[in-house]
Structure formats: C-alpha cells, structure tokens
Amino acid sequence: MKRYYHLLTVIVCLVLSSIGAQAQDWKMVITLSDGTQQELSTADIKDIQYVRQTSLLEDRNVDQIIIKELYNGGVMLDDGSTHFQFDKCIILYNNCSQQAVANNLCIGMGAPANAQASNYNYGTDGKLTYEKDKFIPAWNGIWYFPFSLVIEPYSQVVVNICGAIDNTPTVSQSVNYANADYYCMYDPESGYNHTRYYPTPSAVIPTSHYLKAVRYAQGNGWPFSMSSPAVILFQTQDVTPDVFATSADNYWYDGGKTDQIHTCVKVPNDWILDGMEVYAMEKPDDCKKRLTADIDAGYVWLTNKMGHSLYRNVDKEFTEELPENDGKLVYGSTTDPSGIDAEASIRNGAHIIYLDTNNSAADFHERAQCSLRD
C-alpha cells in the first residue's frame, strides 16, 4: 500500500520559495505519511530534506539497508560506582552504490528481552514454536520512521534509542548525540515517556527526525536489553506500522502467557530486512536463540558496561575491488577480521561494503568503543 504526496511536496516547496530572510514566524499543519498531523514553524522547515521526509517516496534498494553497528551495553560512571545505560543507539547503513529509500521502516526486539533469560518458546522438538509459522515475535512495542527514510550510497543513519542528548558532561565515556544529522526514538504520547530514558532531545536534532512508537505491552521505557538483545529491522507491507502494531489479530504472547506484559506482534519473516542475535558474555551457558536461522543463523557476543559496541565486519574482497578506494583503505589497529579499519578508511574518503551473510557470528565483531566516539 504505497501512497505518494506529490501535491503536498509542491505546496511546501512553493511556501519555502516564498519565505524571505526577513519573513515573520508562522505555523502550518501538515499530514505525515502515517496519517498523523504535525504543526510546523519556520524553524522546522529548514531545507528540502524535511520535504522529502514528509512525502512518501518510492522504495529503492531497501534490501541494501543493514544494521552497521549496535551500541547498547552502556558504560561505567566516571567514579566507577555503577554503570550508565541510557545512551543506546543503532546505526543503519546503505550497503550499495545507489540511494536507498524505505517506507514503513521499523525496529523491534525479540522475546524474551535477554538471551540468557528463561525462554519458554521452545517445543519438545527443540525448535522455536513460531519457526514453522515463519514469523518473529517483536516484544513490548515497535519504533518506526513516519516518513520515507533516504540513505545515500555507502552512508549511515544514526538512530538514538534513548538519551538523545550530549551525555558526556555527566558520563565522560558516553556518547554525544547532539547532532542535527541524527535521528532518535522519542514519542512520549506512545506511553514511552520515562524521562530517564527519554529526556527532551537536544535542540539541534530536528523534530522531523523523531521516530514514532506503538507500545502494546507495558512499561514507560522500551526495555531494550543492555546485555543481549535480538534486533530486527523490518518493513511493513500493505499496512502502516501503527495499524499493524495496534491490531489484536497480529498479537502473540511470549511463553504462551496471555497477560499484557507478554504481548508481542508477529512480524512475518519475509518483512525482515536484517536481524541480529546478541549473547551475553557474562552468562554464556544460559543464552538461547530467539531469531530463526533464516533471519540470523548465529549470534555475536557482547561484554557490556564497558562502552563496547557490536560492529559489522568489512567485506574485504568487495571493498578492495572498488576502484575509488585505491590508496584510501586503512589497515591495522582494528578488531575487524578483514584487517581493514572501516571508520578510519571512511574518514580517508573510502567506501565500505560490509558483510551480510545472515549470520551474526560471521558478520559482527565486538569493538572497544562506539564509532561515534572515534
């Protein structure tokens, strides 16, 4: 169900062209692609990028959008007394040489929240009970982009999960998210309104970069694991994310329990663009998979509370074959099995192609710090 708002684009462009440097502040109300309305001021309409985001564009190269990096384990406070976990993020990446455009793009998490938690979703045959039905249960709630997400070739999109501010003045080893290019999960009206998780985002992040949420279980903070989440990146088909996630017909219950706290939505496997299974290094013998093998055949280990992130491995062969990378790739001083330091190479003007084998054990490695701190 694709809808296009070319008329809206034209109208807003005309308004933009008529605003002079001395124009007075004004307000207008527009309808976003998910049907919700938003009031805008001149401060919101800063450039054509916002126009692109308030109009549904045609999907392009959606299958090339991957999870590049996950930072969820938190970091110790400066005095070492305990850990800080309200600074998580996920970084998406366009792994090809053409622009990628995705509508109805969503982020969810598997059940249970932690890989080492008691998992009652296995049958007597040793398989996940939902494997035969070809869906992944997304627990608690989902987040989605209420606009067409556009990612340029070999480029990334940073999505803050919680703490969309500069966290470094209080926790020096944390992450500064005060960046106008970043996106953030911020939707207090959804019920995810715990101020420790969701302080008012940095003023430099445009409100047009706020994701929306549907909460169908309980809690005032999306309970994304700091030790061992299972992440799914998916795109709803023929239905908007809000309609999909509010329909009881799509509900499924973790562990067979039917109370609200265990509510999940059934995400069809063929909607899932990427999946990532994380195991907790602290409890290796207790971890069990939540993603089926067709989504992620393996898992990647995380040592949390140390500021580490999980970073996708470089596809050495294809990256080295790119002619524009001649003399720009940086080698050594990296935990990437390829030997290529991806972030240093990107700063040097190189284009990186990452591995995507649907096996986190092969596709990811643990990094000493989130790349946003480099």
Side-chain angles (χ1 to χ4, degrees):
M1 183 178 66
K2 295 179 180 177
R3 293 174 294 170
Y4 306 97
Y5 293 89
H6 299 306
L7 179 58
L8 173 62
T9 302
V10 171
I11 292 173
V12 177
C13 285
L14 288 173
V15 172
L16 286 172
S17 65
S18 66
I19 298 175
Q22 306 300 319
Q24 297 294 313
D25 191 37
W26 50 270
K27 300 282 186 180
M28 69 177 290
V29 176
I30 66 168
T31 300
L32 298 178
S33 59
D34 66 348
T36 61
Q37 290 189 326
Q38 183 173 341
E39 184 179 84
L40 306 177
S41 68
T42 50
D44 294 314
I45 306 293
K46 293 181 178 178
D47 53 35
I48 196 65
Q49 178 66 18
Y50 191 87
V51 176
R52 293 167 68 186
Q53 292 177 345
T54 54
S55 305
L56 277 183
L57 308 174
E58 187 174 359
D59 283 341
R60 292 186 60 196
N61 301 306
V62 177
D63 61 340
Q64 295 300 309
I65 300 176
I66 59 174
I67 298 169
K68 172 188 171 183
E69 186 173 7
L70 177 66
Y71 169 67
N72 64 290
V75 68
M76 297 302 293
L77 296 179
D78 289 1
D79 63 8
S81 60
T82 188
H83 62 274
F84 177 70
Q85 61 171 313
F86 302 104
D87 61 346
K88 304 178 178 75
C89 75
I90 185 169
I91 300 178
L92 307 180
Y93 187 79
N94 176 5
N95 208 30
C96 76
S97 61
Q98 297 181 327
Q99 186 186 71
V101 180
N103 298 294
N104 298 329
L105 192 63
C106 310
I107 300 173
M109 59 179 168
N114 300 315
Q116 68 273 21
S118 297
N119 191 327
Y120 301 105
N121 300 320
Y122 279 84
T124 56
D125 59 359
K127 296 182 179 180
L128 287 161
T129 56
Y130 44 83
E131 182 172 354
K132 64 181 183 302
D133 296 316
K134 298 188 181 303
F135 70 83
I136 299 296
W139 178 58
N140 197 267
I142 63 168
W143 290 88
Y144 64 96
F145 294 84
F147 43 76
S148 300
L149 180 66
V150 179
I151 311 180
E152 299 302 327
Y154 303 124
S155 297
Q156 69 181 30
V157 164
V158 174
V159 182
N160 170 268
I161 294 174
C162 58
I165 57 174
D166 182 359
N167 296 282
T168 60
T170 53
V171 184
S172 63
Q173 298 304 303
S174 184
V175 180
N176 176 11
Y177 293 105
N179 189 310
D181 293 329
Y182 292 177
Y183 294 74
C184 63
M185 296 179 178
Y186 186 74
D187 185 12
E189 293 182 359
S190 69
Y192 292 137
N193 52 22
H194 193 299
T195 55
R196 188 82 188 277
Y197 284 84
Y198 311 107
T200 301
S202 167
V204 304
I205 301 177
T207 58
S208 58
H209 283 201
Y210 293 1
L211 275 67
K212 296 187 71 67
V214 177
R215 186 195 67 171
Y216 36 79
Q218 293 179 333
N220 55 7
W222 197 50
F224 191 76
S225 173
M226 69 171 296
S227 66
S228 50
V231 192
I232 53 173
L233 177 69
F234 66 98
Q235 182 186 40
T236 60
Q237 303 293 327
D238 299 321
V239 64
T240 56
D242 55 328
V243 172
F244 164 70
T246 54
S247 173
D249 291 340
N250 298 321
Y251 289 170
W252 184 91
Y253 296 89
D254 178 29
K257 300 176 182 179
T258 56
D259 51 311
Q260 185 184 4
I261 196 171
H262 290 93
T263 306
C264 306
V265 292
K266 298 179 291 186
V267 179
N269 286 12
D270 59 6
W271 286 7
I272 297 175
L273 303 173
D274 201 8
M276 183 180 182
E277 184 91 49
V278 181
Y279 276 13
M281 190 70 79
E282 61 194 39
K283 293 187 176 181
D285 296 333
D286 298 331
C287 294
K288 291 185 177 180
K289 280 185 64 63
R290 294 146 294 179
L291 302 182
T292 52
D294 56 331
I295 302 301
D296 186 357
Y299 50 84
V300 59
W301 295 100
L302 174 66
T303 307
N304 68 350
K305 304 177 185 178
M306 303 299 293
H308 296 183
S309 74
L310 298 173
Y311 193 96
R312 191 174 284 268
N313 296 332
V314 175
D315 189 317
K316 188 173 189 290
E317 177 183 357
F318 284 102
T319 297
E320 289 181 334
E321 285 180 354
L322 292 177
E324 65 267 29
N325 284 346
D326 186 29
K328 297 179 181 178
L329 295 176
V330 179
Y331 294 83
S333 302
T334 177
T335 50
D336 192 305
S338 71
I340 296 174
D341 186 328
E343 292 298 319
S345 299
I346 291 169
R347 290 192 293 272
N348 205 32
H351 292 153
I352 300 297
I353 298 176
Y354 293 94
L355 279 175
D356 187 13
T357 69
N358 291 341
N359 185 332
S360 288
D363 289 346
F364 287 90
H365 65 274
E366 187 168 2
R367 198 175 193 271
Q369 67 178 18
C370 178
S371 64
L372 301 181
R373 287 187 48 81
D374 287 7

